[in-house]
């Protein structure tokens, strides 16, 4: 991926940068789950450093790229012994 010259990206450019459609990026922003943005002259803009930080944050929260979160690498919990109780008590 070539580095972008401007430190700011338009909504369409930001969507392409994170490999999403502009509509998907709008939906993420509406749910307040998307990268931070701001309005400049009525247009939604994104800082390139904020997009990179948002991607790093989501990569760190993914169990496929963060081995500490991978549930298959954790030792299983030990089985609890059943308490024996006599019948009819």
């Amino acid at each position: 991926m070539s580095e972008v010259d401007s430190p700011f990206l338009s909504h369409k450019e930001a969507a392409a940068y994170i490999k999403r459609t502009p509509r998907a990026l709008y939906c993420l922003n509406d749910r307040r789950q998307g990268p931070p943005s701001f309005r400049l002259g009525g247009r939604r803009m994104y800082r390139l450093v904020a997009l990179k930080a948002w991607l790093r944050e989501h990569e760190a929260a993914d169990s496929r790229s963060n081995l500490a979160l991978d549930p298959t690498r954790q030792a299983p919990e030990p089985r609890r012994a059943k308490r024996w109780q006599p019948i009819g008590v």
Side-chain angles (χ1 to χ4, degrees):
M1 175 182 288
S2 65
E3 196 63 31
V4 180
D5 295 335
S6 174
F8 303 106
L9 299 176
S10 69
H11 184 78
K12 201 178 234 185
E13 293 168 335
Y17 185 81
I18 65 169
K19 306 280 194 253
R20 294 287 190 109
T21 64
R23 180 76 184 139
L25 187 52
Y26 273 124
C27 290
L28 283 172
N29 286 331
D30 286 345
R31 288 183 266 150
R32 301 200 185 278
Q33 296 174 345
S37 63
F38 62 97
R39 295 249 181 220
L40 180 66
R43 295 177 60 198
R44 187 172 288 191
M45 301 294 287
Y46 298 84
R47 292 184 189 275
L48 185 58
V49 293
L51 284 173
K52 290 179 180 181
W54 183 80
L55 287 171
R56 276 193 306 274
E57 179 184 318
H58 282 269
E59 182 181 11
D62 186 15
S63 65
R64 290 167 288 204
S65 58
N66 186 348
L67 298 180
L69 299 176
D70 188 359
T72 61
R73 293 185 176 268
Q74 296 174 3
E77 291 184 17
R79 289 186 142 174
R80 294 185 196 148
K82 291 185 179 178
R83 295 180 68 174
W84 181 79
Q85 294 180 352
I87 297 176
V89 173

